[in-house]
Amino acid sequence: MWRQIQEEPQDSLSSSVRWQAMETLTQLSHTQPSLGVRERSELVNTCVQSVFSLPSVQAMQEKDEAKAEAIQILYHQTLDALQKLLNALFIEDPTPAGLKSILEPLGPWMNSGKAHERARAVNSNVSVLNHTLLTLPFFMSSGFPALGLLLGRLILRIGDPDEEIGREALDGIIILYTILELQKRARDKEETNKKELYESNKRFLGPYNPVSPCQNILRVIAEFGDFLGPQQVKDLLLAALEGLKGSPETPGKDSGEMVQLASEVTLSSVLEWYRHRALEVIPEIMQGIYMQLSHIQEPRAREVALLPVSLLASSFMTEVVVALLMCPLPLDSNGAEMWRQLILRKPSCDVRDLLDLLLTSLKEKPVTKKGRASIVPLAAASGLCELLSVNSCMGRVRRIYPQLLLALLIQVHYHIGLNLPSRVAPRKDAKCTKNEAHPPVFVPVRWVVKVVKTLLLKMGCSYEATFLEDQGGWELMGQAENHHRGVSLLARAMVHYSCQELCRILYLLIPLLERGDEKHKITATAFFVELLQLDQVRRIPEEYSLGRMTEGLGHRDPIMKVLCIRGLTILARRTDKMAKVQALLPSMVKGLKSMDGLLVVEAVHNLKVIFKGQDRKQTDSSVYVEMLQVLLPHFSDVREDVRSSCINLYGKVVQKLRLPRVHAVEQQLISTLVPLLLVMQEGNAKVAQKCMKTLFRCSCLMAWDLPKRAYSRKPWDHQQQAVAKICKYLVNSYRDSAFTFLSQSLEYAKNPRASLRKSSVMFIGSLVPCMEDIMTEERLKEVKSALENLRHDPEASVCIYAAQAQEHILASCWRNSWPLPHGDAWVCDPATTHRWSPSCENLPTSHQRRSWILQALGSWKISLKQ
C-alpha cells in the first residue's frame, strides 16, 4: 500500500489507487502489532506528500473537463481517506508522542505559497484537533506536544489572504484552546461539558474578523498566556518567522504584506507580554533567527524577522550579546545584520553598556584554562567591527578607544597560529575572485587585524593606517616572529602623526605592562616603548619608564630584551637620561648573547644611538669586544639580510676602536679572519662587499699584511695557490690561533649552504698542511672524519673538493712524514705503497688523483640515489 501511494503521480488525480490504498491502511491500523513512532511518521509524510502536492481541484478539472465531476468526487474521497487514516493512526497511539508524529508532518504545508496546499494543511490540522477533542483519551502531563509551533502556524493563517483559510485556522485555535482548558480542568478534577466549553470559547475568541484579522491574533495571544512557558514562547516566535520566508508562487504583493503583518503583530505582542519568559531560551531564539534569515530575502520581511533581537536586547542585553557571540564566524550578512540591529532599531540597547560588554569579552584569552580554544574574543571583535559601521555610536566608541585598541592588539598576538572550534567555518556568502577556485580561507588573526584597521580608520587615523599598509606593518603584526615589530610600527606612526589619544593610551599602558602572560606583556611593551618619545613621559615617575626598561633587560624572553633596549635608546635621547642609560650599556650588550640574528640586528641598530653619545676615550673596550662577540656567530646565518647587517655592524664597531689595542680586542679580531674569508666566497655580491669592508677595517686596526687575494671576491676554485698563501700567512702570523682557524673552518663545513661548505673544504685542504709541525693526532682524526663525511655531500662540487683536500693533506703527510694516527689506514707507508699491486688503492697518493675524483663523484651519485 505504501509503495502504491508513492508511485501515484502528484500532478493529477486519475485513479482511485491512492484513495483505496489509504482506506486499506486505515483498516490495517487496527491490527497488531502497531506501527512504531518512526514508521508512523514516515507513513504520514508519504500520504500527506502524495495528497497535498496535487494541483487544485479547479486546475485538475480544467485539464480534463470531461471528467470534471468524477475528479471532484474522487478528490473529496481522497481527502476524506487521508483524514480517516490520520485519525485512525492517532487512535492506534493516543499519546502525546503519537499526536506529535501526526501533526509534525502537516506543519510545513501551512506556510506553502499555494493557497490550496495551505487550505489542505489547515483543514487536516483542524480535523485532527477536533478528533482529539472528541476522544481526548489521555492526560498530557508534559503539556500539549509542540504547542508553540502549532499555535504559531495557525495564528499566521488567521491573517491568510484567503478568508476561508483564516476562518478555519481560527476554529482550529478555538479547538486547541478548548483542549488545553479541558486538560487544565482535568488536572483540577473539574467536570466539564466539552461542547459547552467549545461554544463558550468560540464566542470568547471569535468571531473571525476578515477586515482586521490582527485583532483576532492579538486576542488569541493574550488569552493563551496561561499555557505558554519558555519553550512554547520560543516555538511561537520561530513559527512566526516561518511565515516571512515568502514564495515566488505567492500571488500578489498584498498577500505577502498580510503575512508579514501577521508575523509582525505576533512577534511584537508575544515579546511585549511574555518577554520575561523568553530569558532562558534567548540563545535558541537567536540561533533560530539566524537560520531563518538565510531564507528571507525581502527587505521588509527581514526587518520584521530581526524585531526580536532589538526587543529582547532592550531588556536582556547581556544574554542577547552572549547568544550573538555564538554566531558562526566569519560573520556572514545575516550575523552582521543581527549585530547592527542592536543599535539601529528601536527600542535599541544602551550603546555604552554594549561596548563595555564587548570590551570585557575582548579581554578574555582565546584559550581556556583547560587548553580549549574559545571563539568568544574573535566573535566580540567581529561584533565590534559591525557596530563600527554605524556612525551614530562613534562617540561612545571614542570613549573607550584606547582600551579597545590595546585589547584588539593583544588579541592579534593571541590568535597567531590559533586553531578555533568547528563553529568557525567558511562564509556562505564569501565570493571567489577571478583567480581563485574557492573562497579565501578564513584566518582568525587576519580578521582581528582587519578589525584593528577598521577601528583606526573610524577614529580618524587614516594616515597611520596607510603608513602601516606601505611599510607592511599589518602583515608583520600577524606573524609570530614579527608581531612586536608590527605593533611598534603602529605606535611609531601614531606618535609621528600626533594622534590625539596617545596620552590616554600611555597612562593606560603603565599598569598593563605588569599584567597578563608573555604575549600580553610583549604587545603592551612594544606599544609603550614607542610612546616614550612623547613629552608627557617626563611627568610619569622614572620607575615606570627607565625602571621598567632596566628590569626588562633581565627578562627571559629575548623579544622583551630587545624592546627594552629600544626603550632605553629612546630615553637616551634626553639629556637627563643619557648618563643613566650609558651605564646600562654592558648589561644591554650581554643580554644579546645566544639571541636570534634578526633580533640582534634590531637591537644593535638601536644601540648605535647610545654609542654615538659616548666619549670614545672613556668607553671601556670590553663593551666593544662583547658586542663583536655577539655579532660574529651570525656571519653564517641562513638569512642574507641578517648576515649582511651583522657583518656591516661588526665593521662599524671595529671602526670605533682606538689604539693601543688590548689583548682581548686582538684575539677577537683574529678570530674574525676565517669567517670573513669564507663568507666572502659564498657568491653573494652584497654580502661579499660587506665582508671586504669589514676585513679592511680590521686590517687597518691590526696592521695586517694580508695577501692581496684575501680581499678578492673571486672564487677560489682555480686559485688553490692563493688560498695556500693566505693560510700560510695566518699560521705564520698567529700560530697560537691556528687551531682556532681549523675549528672555525670545520664548523663552517657543516653549514647548510653548499657555497660555504665548499669554501671551507678548500680552506681546510690548504690550512692543515701549513700546520705540519703543530698538528696533533686527535685533530688530524677530526679533519679526516669531516672530509670523509663531506665526500658524500649532496652537492657535487663539495664532494670533489673534499676529495682533493684529502689528497692534498695525504700528500703533505707523506712528504713531510707527519706523526700519523697509529694503525690508521688513511696514510700508507711509502715502502709498501711503492710495491706492485694491480689495485690502485695501494698506489701512493700522488698517483691516485683521478681515482680520488672518480670516487668522489661516485659517492655523490650514490647519495643522490638515496
Side-chain angles (χ1 to χ4, degrees), residues 395-427:
R396 297 293 189 184
V397 172
R398 190 172 294 281
R399 178 183 66 87
I400 56 170
Y401 169 52
Q403 293 96 317
L404 287 173
L405 178 61
L406 293 176
L408 285 169
L409 290 174
I410 292 167
Q411 286 300 334
V412 170
H413 203 170
Y414 281 141
H415 281 83
I416 294 173
L418 186 67
N419 294 318
L420 290 171
S422 57
R423 213 181 272 109
V424 177
R427 288 174 57 161

mmCIF file of all heavy atoms in Angstrom, residues 395-427:
data_model
loop_
_atom_site.group_PDB
_atom_site.id
_atom_site.type_symbol
_atom_site.label_atom_id
_atom_site.label_comp_id
_atom_site.label_asym_id
_atom_site.label_seq_id
_atom_site.Cartn_x
_atom_site.Cartn_y
_atom_site.Cartn_z
ATOM 1 N N GLY A 395 30.724 58.216 18.903
ATOM 2 C CA GLY A 395 31.061 58.987 20.109
ATOM 3 C C GLY A 395 31.300 58.076 21.299
ATOM 4 O O GLY A 395 32.232 58.279 22.094
ATOM 5 N N ARG A 396 30.472 57.063 21.436
ATOM 6 C CA ARG A 396 30.640 56.095 22.532
ATOM 7 C C ARG A 396 31.906 55.258 22.335
ATOM 8 O O ARG A 396 32.562 54.888 23.307
ATOM 9 C CB ARG A 396 29.419 55.174 22.592
ATOM 10 C CG ARG A 396 28.110 55.887 22.897
ATOM 11 C CD ARG A 396 28.105 56.442 24.307
ATOM 12 N NE ARG A 396 26.788 56.939 24.702
ATOM 13 C CZ ARG A 396 26.538 57.541 25.843
ATOM 14 N NH1 ARG A 396 27.520 57.741 26.713
ATOM 15 N NH2 ARG A 396 25.321 57.969 26.122
ATOM 16 N N VAL A 397 32.212 54.932 21.088
ATOM 17 C CA VAL A 397 33.425 54.149 20.812
ATOM 18 C C VAL A 397 34.667 54.934 21.221
ATOM 19 O O VAL A 397 35.601 54.389 21.809
ATOM 20 C CB VAL A 397 33.495 53.764 19.317
ATOM 21 C CG1 VAL A 397 34.845 53.120 18.985
ATOM 22 C CG2 VAL A 397 32.368 52.802 18.959
ATOM 23 N N ARG A 398 34.656 56.231 20.926
ATOM 24 C CA ARG A 398 35.826 57.057 21.250
ATOM 25 C C ARG A 398 36.092 57.097 22.761
ATOM 26 O O ARG A 398 37.233 57.223 23.196
ATOM 27 C CB ARG A 398 35.640 58.476 20.716
ATOM 28 C CG ARG A 398 36.891 59.340 20.787
ATOM 29 C CD ARG A 398 36.680 60.659 20.071
ATOM 30 N NE ARG A 398 36.510 60.495 18.654
ATOM 31 C CZ ARG A 398 37.516 60.304 17.794
ATOM 32 N NH1 ARG A 398 38.767 60.255 18.242
ATOM 33 N NH2 ARG A 398 37.280 60.166 16.515
ATOM 34 N N ARG A 399 35.027 56.958 23.543
ATOM 35 C CA ARG A 399 35.190 56.983 24.998
ATOM 36 C C ARG A 399 36.131 55.891 25.484
ATOM 37 O O ARG A 399 36.924 56.105 26.403
ATOM 38 C CB ARG A 399 33.813 56.827 25.661
ATOM 39 C CG ARG A 399 33.841 56.782 27.177
ATOM 40 C CD ARG A 399 32.445 56.545 27.736
ATOM 41 N NE ARG A 399 31.926 55.237 27.405
ATOM 42 C CZ ARG A 399 32.133 54.134 28.129
ATOM 43 N NH1 ARG A 399 32.841 54.199 29.245
ATOM 44 N NH2 ARG A 399 31.632 52.977 27.749
ATOM 45 N N ILE A 400 36.033 54.708 24.872
ATOM 46 C CA ILE A 400 36.884 53.595 25.314
ATOM 47 C C ILE A 400 37.842 53.161 24.194
ATOM 48 O O ILE A 400 38.304 52.017 24.159
ATOM 49 C CB ILE A 400 36.027 52.389 25.766
ATOM 50 C CG1 ILE A 400 35.077 51.943 24.658
ATOM 51 C CG2 ILE A 400 35.268 52.718 27.028
ATOM 52 C CD1 ILE A 400 34.380 50.618 24.974
ATOM 53 N N TYR A 401 38.147 54.088 23.290
ATOM 54 C CA TYR A 401 39.030 53.767 22.168
ATOM 55 C C TYR A 401 40.387 53.201 22.605
ATOM 56 O O TYR A 401 40.832 52.174 22.070
ATOM 57 C CB TYR A 401 39.210 55.015 21.298
ATOM 58 C CG TYR A 401 40.298 54.919 20.257
ATOM 59 C CD1 TYR A 401 40.351 53.860 19.368
ATOM 60 C CD2 TYR A 401 41.280 55.908 20.164
ATOM 61 C CE1 TYR A 401 41.356 53.778 18.409
ATOM 62 C CE2 TYR A 401 42.282 55.828 19.220
ATOM 63 C CZ TYR A 401 42.311 54.761 18.349
ATOM 64 O OH TYR A 401 43.300 54.677 17.411
ATOM 65 N N PRO A 402 41.082 53.808 23.565
ATOM 66 C CA PRO A 402 42.382 53.233 23.961
ATOM 67 C C PRO A 402 42.262 51.791 24.460
ATOM 68 O O PRO A 402 43.081 50.928 24.099
ATOM 69 C CB PRO A 402 42.844 54.166 25.082
ATOM 70 C CG PRO A 402 42.158 55.465 24.814
ATOM 71 C CD PRO A 402 40.827 55.077 24.270
ATOM 72 N N GLN A 403 41.247 51.520 25.276
ATOM 73 C CA GLN A 403 41.067 50.156 25.784
ATOM 74 C C GLN A 403 40.766 49.174 24.655
ATOM 75 O O GLN A 403 41.296 48.057 24.629
ATOM 76 C CB GLN A 403 39.920 50.113 26.807
ATOM 77 C CG GLN A 403 40.227 50.864 28.094
ATOM 78 C CD GLN A 403 39.675 52.278 28.076
ATOM 79 O OE1 GLN A 403 39.787 52.981 27.070
ATOM 80 N NE2 GLN A 403 39.083 52.698 29.173
ATOM 81 N N LEU A 404 39.918 49.607 23.704
ATOM 82 C CA LEU A 404 39.578 48.732 22.580
ATOM 83 C C LEU A 404 40.796 48.437 21.720
ATOM 84 O O LEU A 404 41.043 47.287 21.321
ATOM 85 C CB LEU A 404 38.488 49.386 21.725
ATOM 86 C CG LEU A 404 37.074 49.420 22.309
ATOM 87 C CD1 LEU A 404 36.149 50.241 21.425
ATOM 88 C CD2 LEU A 404 36.514 48.016 22.477
ATOM 89 N N LEU A 405 41.582 49.475 21.443
ATOM 90 C CA LEU A 405 42.761 49.304 20.590
ATOM 91 C C LEU A 405 43.755 48.330 21.212
ATOM 92 O O LEU A 405 44.229 47.389 20.548
ATOM 93 C CB LEU A 405 43.424 50.664 20.335
ATOM 94 C CG LEU A 405 44.706 50.623 19.494
ATOM 95 C CD1 LEU A 405 44.436 50.063 18.110
ATOM 96 C CD2 LEU A 405 45.330 52.014 19.385
ATOM 97 N N LEU A 406 44.070 48.528 22.471
ATOM 98 C CA LEU A 406 45.052 47.661 23.124
ATOM 99 C C LEU A 406 44.529 46.233 23.272
ATOM 100 O O LEU A 406 45.278 45.268 23.080
ATOM 101 C CB LEU A 406 45.421 48.242 24.494
ATOM 102 C CG LEU A 406 46.175 49.576 24.442
ATOM 103 C CD1 LEU A 406 46.402 50.117 25.844
ATOM 104 C CD2 LEU A 406 47.512 49.419 23.724
ATOM 105 N N ALA A 407 43.233 46.102 23.589
ATOM 106 C CA ALA A 407 42.652 44.758 23.710
ATOM 107 C C ALA A 407 42.713 44.025 22.377
ATOM 108 O O ALA A 407 43.029 42.827 22.320
ATOM 109 C CB ALA A 407 41.208 44.856 24.203
ATOM 110 N N LEU A 408 42.435 44.733 21.288
ATOM 111 C CA LEU A 408 42.482 44.110 19.968
ATOM 112 C C LEU A 408 43.906 43.731 19.571
ATOM 113 O O LEU A 408 44.142 42.657 18.986
ATOM 114 C CB LEU A 408 41.883 45.058 18.924
ATOM 115 C CG LEU A 408 40.358 45.179 18.931
ATOM 116 C CD1 LEU A 408 39.899 46.328 18.048
ATOM 117 C CD2 LEU A 408 39.707 43.875 18.474
ATOM 118 N N LEU A 409 44.870 44.598 19.871
ATOM 119 C CA LEU A 409 46.266 44.287 19.545
ATOM 120 C C LEU A 409 46.733 43.043 20.296
ATOM 121 O O LEU A 409 47.454 42.190 19.742
ATOM 122 C CB LEU A 409 47.164 45.474 19.879
ATOM 123 C CG LEU A 409 47.009 46.705 18.975
ATOM 124 C CD1 LEU A 409 47.852 47.864 19.506
ATOM 125 C CD2 LEU A 409 47.411 46.381 17.542
ATOM 126 N N ILE A 410 46.328 42.926 21.549
ATOM 127 C CA ILE A 410 46.702 41.733 22.329
ATOM 128 C C ILE A 410 46.006 40.500 21.754
ATOM 129 O O ILE A 410 46.602 39.416 21.686
ATOM 130 C CB ILE A 410 46.345 41.946 23.812
ATOM 131 C CG1 ILE A 410 47.256 43.038 24.415
ATOM 132 C CG2 ILE A 410 46.496 40.653 24.601
ATOM 133 C CD1 ILE A 410 46.812 43.552 25.767
ATOM 134 N N GLN A 411 44.770 40.663 21.295
ATOM 135 C CA GLN A 411 44.065 39.539 20.678
ATOM 136 C C GLN A 411 44.737 39.111 19.369
ATOM 137 O O GLN A 411 44.741 37.922 19.024
ATOM 138 C CB GLN A 411 42.596 39.898 20.407
ATOM 139 C CG GLN A 411 41.724 39.944 21.640
ATOM 140 C CD GLN A 411 41.663 38.620 22.377
ATOM 141 O OE1 GLN A 411 41.843 37.552 21.802
ATOM 142 N NE2 GLN A 411 41.432 38.686 23.686
ATOM 143 N N VAL A 412 45.299 40.055 18.642
ATOM 144 C CA VAL A 412 46.058 39.700 17.431
ATOM 145 C C VAL A 412 47.178 38.729 17.805
ATOM 146 O O VAL A 412 47.376 37.697 17.147
ATOM 147 C CB VAL A 412 46.642 40.960 16.754
ATOM 148 C CG1 VAL A 412 47.631 40.566 15.651
ATOM 149 C CG2 VAL A 412 45.531 41.818 16.174
ATOM 150 N N HIS A 413 47.899 39.059 18.871
ATOM 151 C CA HIS A 413 49.010 38.193 19.313
ATOM 152 C C HIS A 413 48.488 36.824 19.727
ATOM 153 O O HIS A 413 49.086 35.781 19.381
ATOM 154 C CB HIS A 413 49.747 38.858 20.470
ATOM 155 C CG HIS A 413 51.156 38.372 20.610
ATOM 156 N ND1 HIS A 413 52.083 38.962 21.437
ATOM 157 C CD2 HIS A 413 51.814 37.344 20.027
ATOM 158 C CE1 HIS A 413 53.234 38.311 21.345
ATOM 159 N NE2 HIS A 413 53.086 37.326 20.499
ATOM 160 N N TYR A 414 47.377 36.800 20.439
ATOM 161 C CA TYR A 414 46.815 35.532 20.907
ATOM 162 C C TYR A 414 46.363 34.647 19.740
ATOM 163 O O TYR A 414 46.435 33.420 19.808
ATOM 164 C CB TYR A 414 45.616 35.771 21.829
ATOM 165 C CG TYR A 414 45.979 36.146 23.247
ATOM 166 C CD1 TYR A 414 45.250 37.091 23.951
ATOM 167 C CD2 TYR A 414 47.041 35.533 23.904
ATOM 168 C CE1 TYR A 414 45.564 37.431 25.264
ATOM 169 C CE2 TYR A 414 47.373 35.862 25.209
ATOM 170 C CZ TYR A 414 46.632 36.811 25.887
ATOM 171 O OH TYR A 414 46.952 37.136 27.185
ATOM 172 N N HIS A 415 45.857 35.253 18.677
ATOM 173 C CA HIS A 415 45.250 34.483 17.590
ATOM 174 C C HIS A 415 46.249 34.035 16.530
ATOM 175 O O HIS A 415 45.852 33.345 15.574
ATOM 176 C CB HIS A 415 44.122 35.289 16.936
ATOM 177 C CG HIS A 415 42.844 35.259 17.713
ATOM 178 N ND1 HIS A 415 42.603 36.112 18.784
ATOM 179 C CD2 HIS A 415 41.746 34.472 17.618
ATOM 180 C CE1 HIS A 415 41.406 35.857 19.278
ATOM 181 N NE2 HIS A 415 40.869 34.865 18.595
ATOM 182 N N ILE A 416 47.510 34.406 16.675
ATOM 183 C CA ILE A 416 48.508 33.957 15.692
ATOM 184 C C ILE A 416 48.646 32.440 15.782
ATOM 185 O O ILE A 416 48.983 31.889 16.815
ATOM 186 C CB ILE A 416 49.866 34.638 15.947
ATOM 187 C CG1 ILE A 416 49.759 36.154 15.687
ATOM 188 C CG2 ILE A 416 50.956 34.038 15.053
ATOM 189 C CD1 ILE A 416 50.999 36.938 16.066
ATOM 190 N N GLY A 417 48.373 31.771 14.681
ATOM 191 C CA GLY A 417 48.509 30.319 14.624
ATOM 192 C C GLY A 417 47.485 29.551 15.426
ATOM 193 O O GLY A 417 47.649 28.349 15.649
ATOM 194 N N LEU A 418 46.413 30.220 15.857
ATOM 195 C CA LEU A 418 45.424 29.559 16.708
ATOM 196 C C LEU A 418 44.362 28.865 15.860
ATOM 197 O O LEU A 418 43.812 29.449 14.930
ATOM 198 C CB LEU A 418 44.747 30.595 17.620
ATOM 199 C CG LEU A 418 43.794 30.050 18.682
ATOM 200 C CD1 LEU A 418 44.554 29.237 19.720
ATOM 201 C CD2 LEU A 418 43.059 31.192 19.364
ATOM 202 N N ASN A 419 44.089 27.610 16.164
ATOM 203 C CA ASN A 419 43.010 26.864 15.511
ATOM 204 C C ASN A 419 41.783 26.923 16.405
ATOM 205 O O ASN A 419 41.830 26.519 17.570
ATOM 206 C CB ASN A 419 43.426 25.407 15.290
ATOM 207 C CG ASN A 419 44.567 25.292 14.308
ATOM 208 O OD1 ASN A 419 44.582 25.983 13.294
ATOM 209 N ND2 ASN A 419 45.517 24.436 14.602
ATOM 210 N N LEU A 420 40.695 27.410 15.836
ATOM 211 C CA LEU A 420 39.481 27.607 16.616
ATOM 212 C C LEU A 420 38.477 26.484 16.384
ATOM 213 O O LEU A 420 38.625 25.695 15.451
ATOM 214 C CB LEU A 420 38.865 28.960 16.257
ATOM 215 C CG LEU A 420 39.699 30.156 16.761
ATOM 216 C CD1 LEU A 420 39.161 31.433 16.188
ATOM 217 C CD2 LEU A 420 39.700 30.229 18.275
ATOM 218 N N PRO A 421 37.421 26.395 17.222
ATOM 219 C CA PRO A 421 36.456 25.288 17.118
ATOM 220 C C PRO A 421 35.743 25.249 15.782
ATOM 221 O O PRO A 421 35.833 26.170 14.968
ATOM 222 C CB PRO A 421 35.466 25.586 18.251
ATOM 223 C CG PRO A 421 36.182 26.481 19.180
ATOM 224 C CD PRO A 421 37.137 27.283 18.347
ATOM 225 N N SER A 422 34.988 24.179 15.577
ATOM 226 C CA SER A 422 34.312 23.952 14.298
ATOM 227 C C SER A 422 33.251 25.002 14.002
ATOM 228 O O SER A 422 32.748 25.086 12.901
ATOM 229 C CB SER A 422 33.649 22.574 14.296
ATOM 230 O OG SER A 422 32.738 22.450 15.372
ATOM 231 N N ARG A 423 32.869 25.821 15.010
ATOM 232 C CA ARG A 423 31.888 26.875 14.770
ATOM 233 C C ARG A 423 32.423 27.903 13.785
ATOM 234 O O ARG A 423 31.690 28.638 13.168
ATOM 235 C CB ARG A 423 31.518 27.559 16.098
ATOM 236 C CG ARG A 423 30.084 28.025 16.140
ATOM 237 C CD ARG A 423 29.771 28.706 17.441
ATOM 238 N NE ARG A 423 29.324 27.782 18.458
ATOM 239 C CZ ARG A 423 30.059 27.459 19.515
ATOM 240 N NH1 ARG A 423 31.250 27.976 19.673
ATOM 241 N NH2 ARG A 423 29.609 26.627 20.404
ATOM 242 N N VAL A 424 33.759 27.941 13.632
ATOM 243 C CA VAL A 424 34.363 28.827 12.640
ATOM 244 C C VAL A 424 34.377 28.091 11.311
ATOM 245 O O VAL A 424 35.015 27.070 11.167
ATOM 246 C CB VAL A 424 35.802 29.206 13.041
ATOM 247 C CG1 VAL A 424 36.427 30.058 11.972
ATOM 248 C CG2 VAL A 424 35.777 29.959 14.358
ATOM 249 N N ALA A 425 33.642 28.574 10.342
ATOM 250 C CA ALA A 425 33.531 27.891 9.055
ATOM 251 C C ALA A 425 33.575 28.909 7.933
ATOM 252 O O ALA A 425 33.371 30.103 8.149
ATOM 253 C CB ALA A 425 32.218 27.109 8.998
ATOM 254 N N PRO A 426 33.868 28.457 6.685
ATOM 255 C CA PRO A 426 33.892 29.386 5.553
ATOM 256 C C PRO A 426 32.544 30.068 5.394
ATOM 257 O O PRO A 426 31.490 29.459 5.580
ATOM 258 C CB PRO A 426 34.198 28.471 4.362
ATOM 259 C CG PRO A 426 34.837 27.264 4.955
ATOM 260 C CD PRO A 426 34.229 27.108 6.312
ATOM 261 N N ARG A 427 32.552 31.330 5.059
ATOM 262 C CA ARG A 427 31.314 32.082 4.918
ATOM 263 C C ARG A 427 30.500 31.566 3.734
ATOM 264 O O ARG A 427 31.029 31.261 2.673
ATOM 265 C CB ARG A 427 31.630 33.568 4.696
ATOM 266 C CG ARG A 427 32.136 34.248 5.917
ATOM 267 C CD ARG A 427 32.576 35.650 5.620
ATOM 268 N NE ARG A 427 31.525 36.464 5.020
ATOM 269 C CZ ARG A 427 31.546 37.788 5.011
ATOM 270 N NH1 ARG A 427 32.526 38.430 5.587
ATOM 271 N NH2 ARG A 427 30.601 38.465 4.436
#
